[in-house]
């Protein structure tokens, strides 16, 4: 460890301690480190909840580095549906931001690391003593060629069914745990004039998102995992069944689904116009950002058929090669990976810390349940959020879903999915 980095680590520790003490009203102002200038942080967090979480991390950063101006470079569009293209253009033209949001797993490694676009961040983990602060499996999905390539801020769950509690009570319903129960409830809701399932697929990723939950619910975690290494047959009956189920679900979604975003769909549930939505737990952050309380106005359950399994994804921040303000970017990454940064960010974001030492008391009843599930469930990777498959494969599945969501042609969609696996080089 260089003297400078030792000094930086020590100073950060002292500053964080000073900040915490001062938050308790007992200690002095934090002392600024001598970093100045700016740092450009690139992400797609603009919706309620996700933007609040990001902002909370900025507040921590600002208290430690008051002389660094944060440039909040966001490109709206859930799941990076617009941001990723903007980022690619910037990276290709030699204009990287100082740090950017990237999903751990294939999105990080296949898109950026093997393309030699990133600097490893193993040294940040070592200098800050983080190697023991993260679950080995999380370190593993951030690693390639003996190095760690980004700093994770959270763990999100994709397979969650969110529901409006009052609507369920008024209609005498309990939360569905299987597809049969889901369709029975959907029938009751439809007859009562409530949209059973809210979907906002103006970005096609939400259809892929719904589909990954349906795949898992149709085949269970072992077979679902096998989809991504070629051991589960994409031409098999379980995939056909998942497509059938998805097509049936489309009969119960809002007619304007193609015009809405994920958060607008969540708003339908909040307003009671719709009863349910299947979305990652950033929806929890959204519900809270509009003043709702978990277990009061809204409830949750694993999406149908997926109890005991947790589709995971992790948001992380990386250090591009030639980051214009490298030292400031490292300061940002240290905040991202710190307990303080994560405990400021995640309670608002609707995610749980990637670290193992988050302060559980800061997390609400939903998030505590997610912590317990993450510790005990079968963990499987998300396709829609960069963990399960390469960006190219995930884009091919999106293309299939773009057609499928309108023509509901199961045979054609399955043929497209089979081909997508072949094109990805995973299936023969
Ligand atoms: C996901 C991301 C989440 C959330 C969501 C909607 O891809 O991992 O953090 O931002 O998109 O924007």
């Amino acid at each position: 460890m260089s003297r400078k980095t030792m000094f930086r680590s020590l100073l950060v520790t002292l500053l964080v301690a000073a900040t915490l003490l001062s938050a308790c009203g007992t200690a002095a102002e934090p002392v600024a480190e001598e970093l100045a200038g700016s740092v450009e942080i690139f992400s797609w967090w603009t919706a309620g909840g996700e933007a609040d979480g990001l902002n909370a991390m900025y507040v921590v950063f600002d208290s430690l580095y008051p002389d660094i101006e944060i440039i909040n470079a966001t490109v709206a569009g859930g799941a990076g549906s617009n941001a990723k293209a903007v980022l690619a253009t910037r990276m290709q033209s030699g204009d990287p931001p100082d740090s950017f949001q990237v999903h751990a797993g294939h999105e990080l490694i296949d898109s950026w690391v093997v393309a030699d676009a990133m600097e490893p961040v193993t040294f940040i983990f070592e200098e800050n003593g983080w190697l023991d602060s993260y679950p080995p499996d999380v370190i593993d999905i951030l690693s390639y060629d003996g190095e760690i390539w980004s700093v994770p801020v959270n763990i999100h769950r994709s397979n969650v069914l969110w529901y409006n509690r009052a609507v369920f009570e008024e209609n005498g319903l309990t939360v569905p745990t299987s597809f049969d129960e889901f369709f029975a409830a959907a029938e009751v809701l439809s007859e009562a004039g409530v949209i059973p399932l809210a979907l906002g697929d103006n970005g096609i990723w939400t259809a892929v998102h719904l589909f990954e939950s349906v795949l898992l619910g149709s085949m269970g975690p072992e077979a679902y995992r096998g989809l991504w290494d070629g051991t589960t047959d994409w031409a098999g009956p379980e995939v056909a069944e998942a497509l059938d189920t998805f097509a049936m679900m489309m009969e119960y979604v809002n007619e304007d689904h193609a015009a809405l975003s994920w958060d607008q769909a969540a708003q339908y549930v909040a307003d009671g116009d719709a009863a349910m939505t299947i979305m990652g737990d950033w929806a929890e952050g959204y519900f809270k950002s509009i003043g709702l309380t978990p277990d009061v106005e809204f409830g949750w359950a694993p999406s149908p058929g997926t109890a005991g399994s947790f589709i995971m994804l992790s948001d992380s921040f990386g250090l591009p090669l030639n980051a214009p303000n490298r030292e400031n970017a490292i300061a940002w990454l240290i905040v991202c990976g710190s307990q303080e940064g994560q405990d400021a960010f995640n309670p608002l974001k609707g995610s749980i810390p990637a670290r193992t030492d988050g302060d559980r008391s800061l997390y609400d009843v939903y998030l505590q349940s997610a912590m317990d599930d993450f510790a005990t469930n079968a963990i499987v990777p998300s396709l829609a959020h960069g963990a399960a498959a390469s960006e190219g494969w995930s884009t091919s599945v999106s293309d299939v879903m773009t057609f499928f969501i309108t023509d509901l042609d199961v045979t054609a969609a399955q043929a497209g999915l089979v081909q997508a696996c072949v094109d990805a080089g995973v299936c023969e």
Side-chain angles (χ1 to χ4, degrees):
M1 186 187 293
S2 71
R3 286 182 58 187
K4 187 168 174 221
T5 45
M6 262 177 69
F7 174 72
R8 185 173 57 224
S9 296
L10 182 65
L11 196 56
V12 167
T13 309
L14 291 174
L15 290 176
V16 167
T19 309
L20 288 177
L21 284 171
S22 104
C24 299
T26 51
E29 293 292 313
V31 189
E33 190 177 352
E34 277 173 26
L35 288 173
S38 64
V39 64
E40 188 188 12
I41 313 295
F42 185 96
S43 81
W44 59 81
W45 287 331
T46 59
E50 55 185 24
D52 302 311
L54 179 61
N55 199 47
M57 223 160 24
Y58 286 166
V59 170
V60 174
F61 184 87
D62 196 49
S63 71
L64 296 171
Y65 307 100
D67 295 332
I68 302 179
E69 184 200 355
I70 297 168
I71 299 170
N72 182 32
T74 49
V75 178
S81 39
N82 304 318
K84 287 186 201 169
V86 173
L87 177 68
T89 306
R90 287 190 55 174
M91 295 287 279
Q92 277 149 21
S93 61
D95 174 31
D98 293 310
S99 183
F100 63 84
Q101 176 192 355
V102 60
H103 288 124
H106 285 271
E107 187 179 312
L108 166 69
I109 307 299
D110 301 0
S111 304
W112 300 115
V113 176
V114 297
D116 280 336
M118 306 301 285
E119 194 181 323
V121 294
T122 320
F123 73 99
I124 301 181
F125 278 73
E126 287 168 355
E127 288 170 11
N128 291 280
W130 290 347
L131 288 168
D132 296 327
S133 310
Y134 288 86
D137 290 347
V138 171
I139 301 257
D140 199 45
I141 60 171
L142 300 163
S143 299
Y144 178 78
D145 227 2
E147 298 277 8
I148 302 173
W149 294 92
S150 69
V151 175
V153 284
N154 65 3
I155 303 291
H156 264 307
R157 185 178 196 172
S158 143
N159 58 314
V160 192
L161 179 147
W162 305 96
Y163 65 99
N164 180 308
R165 289 183 51 130
V167 169
F168 264 62
E169 269 158 39
E170 278 155 24
N171 290 282
L173 295 171
T174 52
V175 62
T177 59
S178 63
F179 290 121
D180 284 348
E181 288 177 15
F182 173 85
F183 288 116
E187 235 355 89
V188 172
L189 290 160
S190 250
E191 273 169 29
V194 180
I195 299 160
L197 184 68
L199 177 66
D201 65 322
N202 71 0
I204 194 62
W205 67 272
T206 55
V208 179
H209 184 111
L210 175 58
F211 185 53
E212 71 183 18
S213 271
V214 176
L215 279 170
L216 175 65
S218 306
M219 62 180 65
E222 279 314 308
Y224 174 91
R225 273 194 204 110
L227 291 169
W228 314 115
D229 63 15
T231 55
T232 297
D233 186 5
W234 281 93
E238 292 156 321
V239 173
E241 187 191 313
L243 287 164
D244 274 332
T245 302
F246 184 97
M248 272 172 70
M249 280 182 160
M250 289 306 291
E251 289 172 24
Y252 294 101
V253 305
N254 43 304
E255 278 173 13
D256 59 352
H257 60 91
L260 303 187
S261 57
W262 70 268
D263 45 316
Q264 289 172 320
Q267 185 67 46
Y268 274 23
V269 176
D271 292 343
D273 296 332
M276 302 177 267
T277 191
I278 292 175
M279 187 39 61
D281 43 15
W282 44 92
E284 211 253 345
Y286 177 76
F287 288 138
K288 290 194 296 184
S289 80
I290 56 169
L292 307 189
T293 305
D295 231 3
V296 178
E297 288 93 356
F298 67 93
W300 62 89
S303 58
T306 70
S309 295
F310 188 117
I311 304 185
M312 71 85 74
L313 60 120
S314 171
D315 293 304
S316 71
F317 281 86
L319 182 61
L321 273 183
N322 305 320
N325 300 288
R326 181 177 177 276
E327 287 299 305
N328 294 352
I330 292 169
W332 164 248
L333 293 173
I334 292 173
V335 170
C336 288
S338 68
Q339 188 192 29
E340 293 70 22
Q342 296 195 7
D343 278 348
F345 173 73
N346 288 300
L348 299 172
K349 180 69 169 69
S351 41
I352 60 176
R355 296 176 63 104
T356 51
D357 56 0
D359 177 353
R360 191 178 165 95
S361 71
L362 297 173
Y363 292 81
D364 63 37
V365 57
Y366 165 72
L367 291 167
Q368 290 193 2
S369 79
M371 287 175 175
D372 295 342
D373 287 352
F374 187 62
T376 54
N377 280 194
I379 307 298
V380 296
S382 165
L383 168 67
H385 307 281
S390 67
E391 198 69 10
W393 191 356
S394 153
T395 303
S396 305
V397 175
S398 296
D399 293 345
V400 170
M401 295 310 288
T402 301
F403 287 104
F404 184 53
I405 204 152
T406 49
D407 66 16
L408 300 180
D409 182 339
V410 169
T411 310
Q414 190 164 15
L417 294 172
V418 168
Q419 188 60 42
C421 184
V422 173
D423 293 347
V426 172
C427 298
E428 304 205 327

